[in-house]
Amino acid sequence: MSVRVRRIYESPEPDDGLRVLVDRLWPRGVAKEAAHVDEWPKGLTPSAELRTWFHGGGSYEEFRARYEAELAAPEAAELLDGLRESVRKGPVTLLTATKTPERSHAQVLLELLGG
């Protein structure tokens, strides 16, 4: 079982396994063919309101709590379960455009998936 986070601007690597974009918006300057994205579950991404609040100066700890609450909603919970199943089958790489993946929704997902 292997899951990790990488920036989508980095070149794909052979050991990436399933490449999952975990951002709601497609990253600027990245061609879809070059990104090699296998899945894009937009229902797993933070809501627009939560993203705006966080980027407006909200604390990471509060963001994390609010995001985990959003992930408990039925649609998101189902998508998260599907991603857990993918992790059980092989390597998964969570892709994000954020400049600080270690303090983002991608890190929250990584930890929830056991990474």
Side-chain angles (χ1 to χ4, degrees), residues 46-81:
S47 66
E49 296 81 13
L50 181 56
R51 279 192 341 268
T52 301
W53 173 85
F54 182 50
H55 294 295
S59 75
Y60 178 71
E61 293 73 24
E62 180 68 18
F63 166 78
R64 180 187 182 93
R66 291 182 184 192
Y67 181 44
E68 286 181 1
E70 288 185 357
L71 290 172
E75 178 190 354
E78 185 176 328
L79 290 169
L80 189 57
D81 286 343

Side-chain angles (χ1 to χ4, degrees), residues 10 16 20 22 37 47 55 64 73 82-83 102-103 111:
E10 299 172 35
D16 281 349
V20 181
V22 293
V37 170
S47 66
H55 294 295
R64 180 187 182 93
L83 199 50
E102 65 280 356
R103 292 189 57 80
E111 292 172 13

